[in-house]
Amino acid sequence: MGSSLVLQRGSSAVDWCERNYIVTSGIAEFVNTVSNVLFLILPPLLLRLFHQYAKCVSSGIILIWSLLLLIGLSSAYFHATLSLLGQLLDELAILWLLMACFAMWVPRRYLPLWFRGERKTFQKFVAILCAVGTVLVCIYPAVNAFALMAFGIPITCLLIIELKRCNNPRVFRLGIRSAFLWGLALCCWINDRLFCDMWSSLNFPYLHGAWHLLIAIAATSGCVLFAYFDACIEVPDQYPALIFWPYNGFELGVPYIILRSHCDPSTILMKYKI
C-alpha cells in the first residue's frame, strides 16, 4: 500500500457512528476528536505527581504516562482525519501501553517458571511479543480493535486478584470505581460500533466520545492501582500510600502514589490525612 494512500483522509476502513465533517470541514469526527482531551491533560499532570515514585520505585512509570499521552494524540489525529495512518498509530500506542504494563506490573509470583522470577528476562520476552504484535497490527487493521479489547480480560482478572489481596479500603474503592468505569466505557464502545443506526435515530451518535472520556479515567486509575501494588511488593519499606490531587479528603480528583518514608510526618498528617 502506497504511503500516500495511508496518509489520505478517509483511508481507514473504520468509521465511527458520529457523522463526518458536520462541525468543521477540517475535522472528520469533531466530538470523537476533542473527547481525547483527558488523555492530553492527565498524563502530563501524572508525570509531575509521580516524580517521587519515578525516582525511588521505577522510572518505567514515565513510559506509562508518555504512552497514554501518545494514545491521546494518535486518537485525536485518527478521528480528525480517519486516515489509515492515524488508525495504526492509535492502535500501536494502545498495544505498546498494554505491553509496557504487563512487563512492569505482572507480579513476580505469576511469572511462568522458565523466567524464574526474573523481571528483566520477562521484560525482554514481552518486548519480543510487542515487536511481533506491532507487525501484526499493520497486516490486518480491521481486527485490531477487537484483538486489543481482548487484553481487557486478563487485566481485569489480575486487578480483581490483587484487590482481593489488598486490605486498604481506599485502594479497594478506587479499584471498584475503575472497574465500573471500564465496564461502562466498554458498553459505550460496543453500542457505538454495533448499534449505530439506533443511536443515530435518537440523534446521539456520540458514544465513542463518551468511551474516550471514561476509558481515560479508568486507564489512568488502573495504572495508578498497579503502580501501588507493585510498590507494596517491591519497596514495602517505603510505605506507599494512595492519595488524590488536588483534594484528598473525599477521594476526589486524580489519584497518585506517595512514599511516606520520604515525607515529613507532620506534612503527611496535616496535608494528606492518611
PDB file of all heavy atoms in Angstrom, residues 79-113:
ATOM      1  N   HIS A  79      -9.226  10.414  14.527  1.00  0.00           N
ATOM      2  CA  HIS A  79     -10.620  10.833  14.379  1.00  0.00           C
ATOM      3  C   HIS A  79     -10.748  12.134  13.594  1.00  0.00           C
ATOM      4  O   HIS A  79     -11.794  12.398  12.998  1.00  0.00           O
ATOM      5  CB  HIS A  79     -11.267  10.965  15.751  1.00  0.00           C
ATOM      6  CG  HIS A  79     -11.488   9.640  16.424  1.00  0.00           C
ATOM      7  ND1 HIS A  79     -12.436   8.742  15.994  1.00  0.00           N
ATOM      8  CD2 HIS A  79     -10.873   9.061  17.488  1.00  0.00           C
ATOM      9  CE1 HIS A  79     -12.398   7.663  16.767  1.00  0.00           C
ATOM     10  NE2 HIS A  79     -11.454   7.828  17.675  1.00  0.00           N
ATOM     11  N   ALA A  80      -9.701  12.918  13.588  1.00  0.00           N
ATOM     12  CA  ALA A  80      -9.736  14.157  12.808  1.00  0.00           C
ATOM     13  C   ALA A  80      -9.597  13.891  11.316  1.00  0.00           C
ATOM     14  O   ALA A  80     -10.127  14.646  10.487  1.00  0.00           O
ATOM     15  CB  ALA A  80      -8.635  15.098  13.275  1.00  0.00           C
ATOM     16  N   THR A  81      -8.894  12.807  10.962  1.00  0.00           N
ATOM     17  CA  THR A  81      -8.601  12.542   9.550  1.00  0.00           C
ATOM     18  C   THR A  81      -9.219  11.253   9.024  1.00  0.00           C
ATOM     19  O   THR A  81      -9.403  11.108   7.819  1.00  0.00           O
ATOM     20  CB  THR A  81      -7.083  12.457   9.326  1.00  0.00           C
ATOM     21  OG1 THR A  81      -6.553  11.337  10.067  1.00  0.00           O
ATOM     22  CG2 THR A  81      -6.384  13.733   9.783  1.00  0.00           C
ATOM     23  N   LEU A  82      -9.497  10.304   9.934  1.00  0.00           N
ATOM     24  CA  LEU A  82      -9.950   8.962   9.547  1.00  0.00           C
ATOM     25  C   LEU A  82      -8.986   8.315   8.550  1.00  0.00           C
ATOM     26  O   LEU A  82      -9.387   7.567   7.654  1.00  0.00           O
ATOM     27  CB  LEU A  82     -11.368   8.997   8.974  1.00  0.00           C
ATOM     28  CG  LEU A  82     -12.477   9.363   9.965  1.00  0.00           C
ATOM     29  CD1 LEU A  82     -13.830   9.390   9.271  1.00  0.00           C
ATOM     30  CD2 LEU A  82     -12.511   8.391  11.134  1.00  0.00           C
ATOM     31  N   SER A  83      -7.712   8.625   8.716  1.00  0.00           N
ATOM     32  CA  SER A  83      -6.689   8.041   7.846  1.00  0.00           C
ATOM     33  C   SER A  83      -6.220   6.710   8.413  1.00  0.00           C
ATOM     34  O   SER A  83      -6.307   6.457   9.618  1.00  0.00           O
ATOM     35  CB  SER A  83      -5.494   8.987   7.718  1.00  0.00           C
ATOM     36  OG  SER A  83      -4.841   9.136   8.970  1.00  0.00           O
ATOM     37  N   LEU A  84      -5.720   5.860   7.546  1.00  0.00           N
ATOM     38  CA  LEU A  84      -5.200   4.571   7.988  1.00  0.00           C
ATOM     39  C   LEU A  84      -3.981   4.756   8.877  1.00  0.00           C
ATOM     40  O   LEU A  84      -3.797   4.024   9.859  1.00  0.00           O
ATOM     41  CB  LEU A  84      -4.841   3.703   6.783  1.00  0.00           C
ATOM     42  CG  LEU A  84      -4.293   2.301   7.101  1.00  0.00           C
ATOM     43  CD1 LEU A  84      -5.262   1.506   7.954  1.00  0.00           C
ATOM     44  CD2 LEU A  84      -3.967   1.552   5.807  1.00  0.00           C
ATOM     45  N   LEU A  85      -3.156   5.747   8.570  1.00  0.00           N
ATOM     46  CA  LEU A  85      -2.001   6.028   9.415  1.00  0.00           C
ATOM     47  C   LEU A  85      -2.451   6.384  10.831  1.00  0.00           C
ATOM     48  O   LEU A  85      -1.877   5.907  11.810  1.00  0.00           O
ATOM     49  CB  LEU A  85      -1.175   7.171   8.824  1.00  0.00           C
ATOM     50  CG  LEU A  85       0.017   7.623   9.676  1.00  0.00           C
ATOM     51  CD1 LEU A  85       1.024   6.494   9.833  1.00  0.00           C
ATOM     52  CD2 LEU A  85       0.683   8.858   9.081  1.00  0.00           C
ATOM     53  N   GLY A  86      -3.484   7.225  10.931  1.00  0.00           N
ATOM     54  CA  GLY A  86      -3.994   7.586  12.246  1.00  0.00           C
ATOM     55  C   GLY A  86      -4.511   6.388  13.007  1.00  0.00           C
ATOM     56  O   GLY A  86      -4.258   6.242  14.209  1.00  0.00           O
ATOM     57  N   GLN A  87      -5.229   5.510  12.322  1.00  0.00           N
ATOM     58  CA  GLN A  87      -5.739   4.299  12.974  1.00  0.00           C
ATOM     59  C   GLN A  87      -4.608   3.435  13.499  1.00  0.00           C
ATOM     60  O   GLN A  87      -4.635   2.962  14.643  1.00  0.00           O
ATOM     61  CB  GLN A  87      -6.589   3.496  11.990  1.00  0.00           C
ATOM     62  CG  GLN A  87      -7.106   2.178  12.581  1.00  0.00           C
ATOM     63  CD  GLN A  87      -7.712   1.251  11.545  1.00  0.00           C
ATOM     64  OE1 GLN A  87      -8.027   1.673  10.429  1.00  0.00           O
ATOM     65  NE2 GLN A  87      -7.851  -0.008  11.891  1.00  0.00           N
ATOM     66  N   LEU A  88      -3.584   3.223  12.660  1.00  0.00           N
ATOM     67  CA  LEU A  88      -2.468   2.364  13.057  1.00  0.00           C
ATOM     68  C   LEU A  88      -1.685   2.973  14.224  1.00  0.00           C
ATOM     69  O   LEU A  88      -1.283   2.262  15.149  1.00  0.00           O
ATOM     70  CB  LEU A  88      -1.547   2.116  11.867  1.00  0.00           C
ATOM     71  CG  LEU A  88      -2.151   1.293  10.718  1.00  0.00           C
ATOM     72  CD1 LEU A  88      -1.165   1.181   9.570  1.00  0.00           C
ATOM     73  CD2 LEU A  88      -2.569  -0.093  11.208  1.00  0.00           C
ATOM     74  N   LEU A  89      -1.471   4.288  14.177  1.00  0.00           N
ATOM     75  CA  LEU A  89      -0.765   4.942  15.282  1.00  0.00           C
ATOM     76  C   LEU A  89      -1.541   4.801  16.585  1.00  0.00           C
ATOM     77  O   LEU A  89      -0.964   4.522  17.645  1.00  0.00           O
ATOM     78  CB  LEU A  89      -0.543   6.420  14.956  1.00  0.00           C
ATOM     79  CG  LEU A  89       0.493   6.748  13.891  1.00  0.00           C
ATOM     80  CD1 LEU A  89       0.489   8.241  13.588  1.00  0.00           C
ATOM     81  CD2 LEU A  89       1.884   6.302  14.339  1.00  0.00           C
ATOM     82  N   ASP A  90      -2.845   4.990  16.517  1.00  0.00           N
ATOM     83  CA  ASP A  90      -3.710   4.861  17.686  1.00  0.00           C
ATOM     84  C   ASP A  90      -3.620   3.451  18.263  1.00  0.00           C
ATOM     85  O   ASP A  90      -3.406   3.256  19.473  1.00  0.00           O
ATOM     86  CB  ASP A  90      -5.143   5.199  17.283  1.00  0.00           C
ATOM     87  CG  ASP A  90      -6.097   5.210  18.461  1.00  0.00           C
ATOM     88  OD1 ASP A  90      -5.638   5.282  19.616  1.00  0.00           O
ATOM     89  OD2 ASP A  90      -7.323   5.152  18.236  1.00  0.00           O
ATOM     90  N   GLU A  91      -3.757   2.455  17.409  1.00  0.00           N
ATOM     91  CA  GLU A  91      -3.772   1.062  17.879  1.00  0.00           C
ATOM     92  C   GLU A  91      -2.393   0.605  18.330  1.00  0.00           C
ATOM     93  O   GLU A  91      -2.277  -0.167  19.292  1.00  0.00           O
ATOM     94  CB  GLU A  91      -4.324   0.170  16.768  1.00  0.00           C
ATOM     95  CG  GLU A  91      -5.816   0.419  16.524  1.00  0.00           C
ATOM     96  CD  GLU A  91      -6.322  -0.163  15.221  1.00  0.00           C
ATOM     97  OE1 GLU A  91      -5.503  -0.548  14.362  1.00  0.00           O
ATOM     98  OE2 GLU A  91      -7.557  -0.216  15.051  1.00  0.00           O
ATOM     99  N   LEU A  92      -1.346   1.072  17.677  1.00  0.00           N
ATOM    100  CA  LEU A  92       0.002   0.716  18.110  1.00  0.00           C
ATOM    101  C   LEU A  92       0.320   1.323  19.471  1.00  0.00           C
ATOM    102  O   LEU A  92       0.934   0.667  20.324  1.00  0.00           O
ATOM    103  CB  LEU A  92       1.033   1.181  17.076  1.00  0.00           C
ATOM    104  CG  LEU A  92       1.125   0.338  15.801  1.00  0.00           C
ATOM    105  CD1 LEU A  92       2.032   1.012  14.785  1.00  0.00           C
ATOM    106  CD2 LEU A  92       1.624  -1.072  16.123  1.00  0.00           C
ATOM    107  N   ALA A  93      -0.107   2.558  19.700  1.00  0.00           N
ATOM    108  CA  ALA A  93       0.131   3.187  21.001  1.00  0.00           C
ATOM    109  C   ALA A  93      -0.563   2.417  22.113  1.00  0.00           C
ATOM    110  O   ALA A  93      -0.004   2.228  23.209  1.00  0.00           O
ATOM    111  CB  ALA A  93      -0.356   4.637  20.980  1.00  0.00           C
ATOM    112  N   ILE A  94      -1.785   1.935  21.840  1.00  0.00           N
ATOM    113  CA  ILE A  94      -2.503   1.131  22.837  1.00  0.00           C
ATOM    114  C   ILE A  94      -1.770  -0.178  23.087  1.00  0.00           C
ATOM    115  O   ILE A  94      -1.597  -0.609  24.234  1.00  0.00           O
ATOM    116  CB  ILE A  94      -3.946   0.872  22.371  1.00  0.00           C
ATOM    117  CG1 ILE A  94      -4.723   2.187  22.285  1.00  0.00           C
ATOM    118  CG2 ILE A  94      -4.653  -0.089  23.316  1.00  0.00           C
ATOM    119  CD1 ILE A  94      -6.087   2.048  21.634  1.00  0.00           C
ATOM    120  N   LEU A  95      -1.337  -0.839  22.012  1.00  0.00           N
ATOM    121  CA  LEU A  95      -0.601  -2.093  22.152  1.00  0.00           C
ATOM    122  C   LEU A  95       0.669  -1.899  22.972  1.00  0.00           C
ATOM    123  O   LEU A  95       0.961  -2.676  23.889  1.00  0.00           O
ATOM    124  CB  LEU A  95      -0.244  -2.650  20.771  1.00  0.00           C
ATOM    125  CG  LEU A  95       0.669  -3.889  20.770  1.00  0.00           C
ATOM    126  CD1 LEU A  95      -0.054  -5.095  21.362  1.00  0.00           C
ATOM    127  CD2 LEU A  95       1.164  -4.204  19.355  1.00  0.00           C
ATOM    128  N   TRP A  96       1.423  -0.852  22.676  1.00  0.00           N
ATOM    129  CA  TRP A  96       2.679  -0.596  23.399  1.00  0.00           C
ATOM    130  C   TRP A  96       2.412  -0.310  24.876  1.00  0.00           C
ATOM    131  O   TRP A  96       3.171  -0.751  25.733  1.00  0.00           O
ATOM    132  CB  TRP A  96       3.413   0.574  22.750  1.00  0.00           C
ATOM    133  CG  TRP A  96       3.873   0.291  21.349  1.00  0.00           C
ATOM    134  CD1 TRP A  96       4.076  -0.940  20.776  1.00  0.00           C
ATOM    135  CD2 TRP A  96       4.163   1.246  20.322  1.00  0.00           C
ATOM    136  NE1 TRP A  96       4.470  -0.804  19.466  1.00  0.00           N
ATOM    137  CE2 TRP A  96       4.541   0.524  19.159  1.00  0.00           C
ATOM    138  CE3 TRP A  96       4.134   2.647  20.272  1.00  0.00           C
ATOM    139  CZ2 TRP A  96       4.890   1.154  17.975  1.00  0.00           C
ATOM    140  CZ3 TRP A  96       4.485   3.287  19.096  1.00  0.00           C
ATOM    141  CH2 TRP A  96       4.861   2.546  17.953  1.00  0.00           C
ATOM    142  N   LEU A  97       1.331   0.411  25.156  1.00  0.00           N
ATOM    143  CA  LEU A  97       0.991   0.673  26.556  1.00  0.00           C
ATOM    144  C   LEU A  97       0.658  -0.627  27.281  1.00  0.00           C
ATOM    145  O   LEU A  97       1.145  -0.867  28.398  1.00  0.00           O
ATOM    146  CB  LEU A  97      -0.193   1.634  26.642  1.00  0.00           C
ATOM    147  CG  LEU A  97      -0.743   1.861  28.060  1.00  0.00           C
ATOM    148  CD1 LEU A  97       0.269   2.595  28.922  1.00  0.00           C
ATOM    149  CD2 LEU A  97      -2.065   2.605  28.027  1.00  0.00           C
ATOM    150  N   LEU A  98      -0.154  -1.466  26.671  1.00  0.00           N
ATOM    151  CA  LEU A  98      -0.534  -2.731  27.303  1.00  0.00           C
ATOM    152  C   LEU A  98       0.695  -3.602  27.561  1.00  0.00           C
ATOM    153  O   LEU A  98       0.840  -4.188  28.637  1.00  0.00           O
ATOM    154  CB  LEU A  98      -1.542  -3.471  26.420  1.00  0.00           C
ATOM    155  CG  LEU A  98      -2.924  -2.829  26.290  1.00  0.00           C
ATOM    156  CD1 LEU A  98      -3.733  -3.521  25.197  1.00  0.00           C
ATOM    157  CD2 LEU A  98      -3.666  -2.882  27.619  1.00  0.00           C
ATOM    158  N   MET A  99       1.581  -3.679  26.583  1.00  0.00           N
ATOM    159  CA  MET A  99       2.783  -4.488  26.748  1.00  0.00           C
ATOM    160  C   MET A  99       3.688  -3.922  27.846  1.00  0.00           C
ATOM    161  O   MET A  99       4.274  -4.675  28.632  1.00  0.00           O
ATOM    162  CB  MET A  99       3.549  -4.565  25.425  1.00  0.00           C
ATOM    163  CG  MET A  99       2.848  -5.333  24.322  1.00  0.00           C
ATOM    164  SD  MET A  99       2.701  -7.118  24.667  1.00  0.00           S
ATOM    165  CE  MET A  99       1.004  -7.193  25.249  1.00  0.00           C
ATOM    166  N   ALA A 100       3.796  -2.602  27.907  1.00  0.00           N
ATOM    167  CA  ALA A 100       4.610  -1.978  28.957  1.00  0.00           C
ATOM    168  C   ALA A 100       4.028  -2.265  30.338  1.00  0.00           C
ATOM    169  O   ALA A 100       4.767  -2.533  31.292  1.00  0.00           O
ATOM    170  CB  ALA A 100       4.695  -0.474  28.719  1.00  0.00           C
ATOM    171  N   CYS A 101       2.708  -2.219  30.443  1.00  0.00           N
ATOM    172  CA  CYS A 101       2.058  -2.511  31.732  1.00  0.00           C
ATOM    173  C   CYS A 101       2.304  -3.948  32.152  1.00  0.00           C
ATOM    174  O   CYS A 101       2.617  -4.221  33.321  1.00  0.00           O
ATOM    175  CB  CYS A 101       0.562  -2.233  31.635  1.00  0.00           C
ATOM    176  SG  CYS A 101       0.135  -0.488  31.509  1.00  0.00           S
ATOM    177  N   PHE A 102       2.161  -4.884  31.222  1.00  0.00           N
ATOM    178  CA  PHE A 102       2.415  -6.287  31.548  1.00  0.00           C
ATOM    179  C   PHE A 102       3.871  -6.481  31.967  1.00  0.00           C
ATOM    180  O   PHE A 102       4.168  -7.186  32.941  1.00  0.00           O
ATOM    181  CB  PHE A 102       2.098  -7.184  30.344  1.00  0.00           C
ATOM    182  CG  PHE A 102       0.643  -7.515  30.202  1.00  0.00           C
ATOM    183  CD1 PHE A 102      -0.086  -7.086  29.108  1.00  0.00           C
ATOM    184  CD2 PHE A 102      -0.013  -8.276  31.165  1.00  0.00           C
ATOM    185  CE1 PHE A 102      -1.430  -7.387  28.986  1.00  0.00           C
ATOM    186  CE2 PHE A 102      -1.356  -8.594  31.054  1.00  0.00           C
ATOM    187  CZ  PHE A 102      -2.066  -8.142  29.953  1.00  0.00           C
ATOM    188  N   ALA A 103       4.789  -5.877  31.216  1.00  0.00           N
ATOM    189  CA  ALA A 103       6.213  -6.051  31.509  1.00  0.00           C
ATOM    190  C   ALA A 103       6.582  -5.504  32.878  1.00  0.00           C
ATOM    191  O   ALA A 103       7.407  -6.085  33.592  1.00  0.00           O
ATOM    192  CB  ALA A 103       7.048  -5.366  30.425  1.00  0.00           C
ATOM    193  N   MET A 104       5.959  -4.401  33.276  1.00  0.00           N
ATOM    194  CA  MET A 104       6.306  -3.752  34.542  1.00  0.00           C
ATOM    195  C   MET A 104       5.594  -4.332  35.742  1.00  0.00           C
ATOM    196  O   MET A 104       6.163  -4.435  36.834  1.00  0.00           O
ATOM    197  CB  MET A 104       5.987  -2.248  34.453  1.00  0.00           C
ATOM    198  CG  MET A 104       6.961  -1.444  33.644  1.00  0.00           C
ATOM    199  SD  MET A 104       6.478   0.306  33.601  1.00  0.00           S
ATOM    200  CE  MET A 104       6.330   0.689  35.351  1.00  0.00           C
ATOM    201  N   TRP A 105       4.311  -4.709  35.569  1.00  0.00           N
ATOM    202  CA  TRP A 105       3.464  -4.887  36.738  1.00  0.00           C
ATOM    203  C   TRP A 105       2.891  -6.272  36.969  1.00  0.00           C
ATOM    204  O   TRP A 105       2.203  -6.481  37.969  1.00  0.00           O
ATOM    205  CB  TRP A 105       2.332  -3.869  36.685  1.00  0.00           C
ATOM    206  CG  TRP A 105       2.810  -2.470  36.890  1.00  0.00           C
ATOM    207  CD1 TRP A 105       3.871  -2.062  37.650  1.00  0.00           C
ATOM    208  CD2 TRP A 105       2.253  -1.277  36.324  1.00  0.00           C
ATOM    209  NE1 TRP A 105       4.006  -0.704  37.592  1.00  0.00           N
ATOM    210  CE2 TRP A 105       3.031  -0.188  36.793  1.00  0.00           C
ATOM    211  CE3 TRP A 105       1.166  -1.020  35.483  1.00  0.00           C
ATOM    212  CZ2 TRP A 105       2.759   1.126  36.439  1.00  0.00           C
ATOM    213  CZ3 TRP A 105       0.897   0.288  35.126  1.00  0.00           C
ATOM    214  CH2 TRP A 105       1.680   1.342  35.600  1.00  0.00           C
ATOM    215  N   VAL A 106       3.120  -7.238  36.084  1.00  0.00           N
ATOM    216  CA  VAL A 106       2.701  -8.591  36.420  1.00  0.00           C
ATOM    217  C   VAL A 106       3.540  -9.052  37.608  1.00  0.00           C
ATOM    218  O   VAL A 106       4.773  -9.078  37.529  1.00  0.00           O
ATOM    219  CB  VAL A 106       2.892  -9.560  35.239  1.00  0.00           C
ATOM    220  CG1 VAL A 106       2.629 -10.999  35.673  1.00  0.00           C
ATOM    221  CG2 VAL A 106       1.951  -9.186  34.098  1.00  0.00           C
ATOM    222  N   PRO A 107       2.913  -9.378  38.737  1.00  0.00           N
ATOM    223  CA  PRO A 107       3.686  -9.766  39.930  1.00  0.00           C
ATOM    224  C   PRO A 107       4.606 -10.951  39.653  1.00  0.00           C
ATOM    225  O   PRO A 107       4.265 -11.850  38.872  1.00  0.00           O
ATOM    226  CB  PRO A 107       2.595 -10.134  40.949  1.00  0.00           C
ATOM    227  CG  PRO A 107       1.393  -9.362  40.507  1.00  0.00           C
ATOM    228  CD  PRO A 107       1.464  -9.335  39.010  1.00  0.00           C
ATOM    229  N   ARG A 108       5.752 -10.942  40.281  1.00  0.00           N
ATOM    230  CA  ARG A 108       6.735 -11.999  40.064  1.00  0.00           C
ATOM    231  C   ARG A 108       6.166 -13.383  40.348  1.00  0.00           C
ATOM    232  O   ARG A 108       6.546 -14.365  39.707  1.00  0.00           O
ATOM    233  CB  ARG A 108       7.966 -11.766  40.960  1.00  0.00           C
ATOM    234  CG  ARG A 108       8.758 -10.522  40.608  1.00  0.00           C
ATOM    235  CD  ARG A 108       9.913 -10.331  41.589  1.00  0.00           C
ATOM    236  NE  ARG A 108      10.553  -9.035  41.415  1.00  0.00           N
ATOM    237  CZ  ARG A 108      11.547  -8.788  40.577  1.00  0.00           C
ATOM    238  NH1 ARG A 108      12.015  -9.778  39.833  1.00  0.00           N
ATOM    239  NH2 ARG A 108      12.068  -7.584  40.488  1.00  0.00           N
ATOM    240  N   ARG A 109       5.249 -13.463  41.314  1.00  0.00           N
ATOM    241  CA  ARG A 109       4.707 -14.777  41.679  1.00  0.00           C
ATOM    242  C   ARG A 109       3.880 -15.396  40.557  1.00  0.00           C
ATOM    243  O   ARG A 109       3.606 -16.597  40.574  1.00  0.00           O
ATOM    244  CB  ARG A 109       3.855 -14.668  42.942  1.00  0.00           C
ATOM    245  CG  ARG A 109       2.664 -13.747  42.836  1.00  0.00           C
ATOM    246  CD  ARG A 109       1.905 -13.659  44.156  1.00  0.00           C
ATOM    247  NE  ARG A 109       0.794 -12.707  44.086  1.00  0.00           N
ATOM    248  CZ  ARG A 109       0.923 -11.403  44.275  1.00  0.00           C
ATOM    249  NH1 ARG A 109       2.113 -10.900  44.562  1.00  0.00           N
ATOM    250  NH2 ARG A 109      -0.133 -10.606  44.186  1.00  0.00           N
ATOM    251  N   TYR A 110       3.456 -14.563  39.573  1.00  0.00           N
ATOM    252  CA  TYR A 110       2.661 -15.087  38.468  1.00  0.00           C
ATOM    253  C   TYR A 110       3.491 -15.328  37.214  1.00  0.00           C
ATOM    254  O   TYR A 110       2.948 -15.792  36.206  1.00  0.00           O
ATOM    255  CB  TYR A 110       1.529 -14.116  38.134  1.00  0.00           C
ATOM    256  CG  TYR A 110       0.564 -13.884  39.262  1.00  0.00           C
ATOM    257  CD1 TYR A 110       0.150 -12.596  39.601  1.00  0.00           C
ATOM    258  CD2 TYR A 110       0.071 -14.948  40.020  1.00  0.00           C
ATOM    259  CE1 TYR A 110      -0.725 -12.379  40.649  1.00  0.00           C
ATOM    260  CE2 TYR A 110      -0.795 -14.734  41.070  1.00  0.00           C
ATOM    261  CZ  TYR A 110      -1.194 -13.444  41.381  1.00  0.00           C
ATOM    262  OH  TYR A 110      -2.058 -13.235  42.419  1.00  0.00           O
ATOM    263  N   LEU A 111       4.762 -15.011  37.260  1.00  0.00           N
ATOM    264  CA  LEU A 111       5.601 -15.233  36.087  1.00  0.00           C
ATOM    265  C   LEU A 111       5.780 -16.731  35.851  1.00  0.00           C
ATOM    266  O   LEU A 111       5.927 -17.504  36.803  1.00  0.00           O
ATOM    267  CB  LEU A 111       6.966 -14.568  36.271  1.00  0.00           C
ATOM    268  CG  LEU A 111       6.989 -13.036  36.399  1.00  0.00           C
ATOM    269  CD1 LEU A 111       8.421 -12.537  36.499  1.00  0.00           C
ATOM    270  CD2 LEU A 111       6.274 -12.383  35.236  1.00  0.00           C
ATOM    271  N   PRO A 112       5.759 -17.170  34.595  1.00  0.00           N
ATOM    272  CA  PRO A 112       5.999 -18.588  34.300  1.00  0.00           C
ATOM    273  C   PRO A 112       7.323 -19.066  34.883  1.00  0.00           C
ATOM    274  O   PRO A 112       8.273 -18.290  35.045  1.00  0.00           O
ATOM    275  CB  PRO A 112       6.030 -18.613  32.763  1.00  0.00           C
ATOM    276  CG  PRO A 112       5.200 -17.435  32.349  1.00  0.00           C
ATOM    277  CD  PRO A 112       5.458 -16.383  33.392  1.00  0.00           C
ATOM    278  N   LEU A 113       7.398 -20.348  35.180  1.00  0.00           N
ATOM    279  CA  LEU A 113       8.564 -20.906  35.866  1.00  0.00           C
ATOM    280  C   LEU A 113       9.860 -20.682  35.103  1.00  0.00           C
ATOM    281  O   LEU A 113      10.926 -20.522  35.706  1.00  0.00           O
ATOM    282  CB  LEU A 113       8.351 -22.406  36.106  1.00  0.00           C
ATOM    283  CG  LEU A 113       7.245 -22.779  37.105  1.00  0.00           C
ATOM    284  CD1 LEU A 113       7.095 -24.293  37.182  1.00  0.00           C
ATOM    285  CD2 LEU A 113       7.567 -22.204  38.478  1.00  0.00           C
TER     286      LEU A 113
END
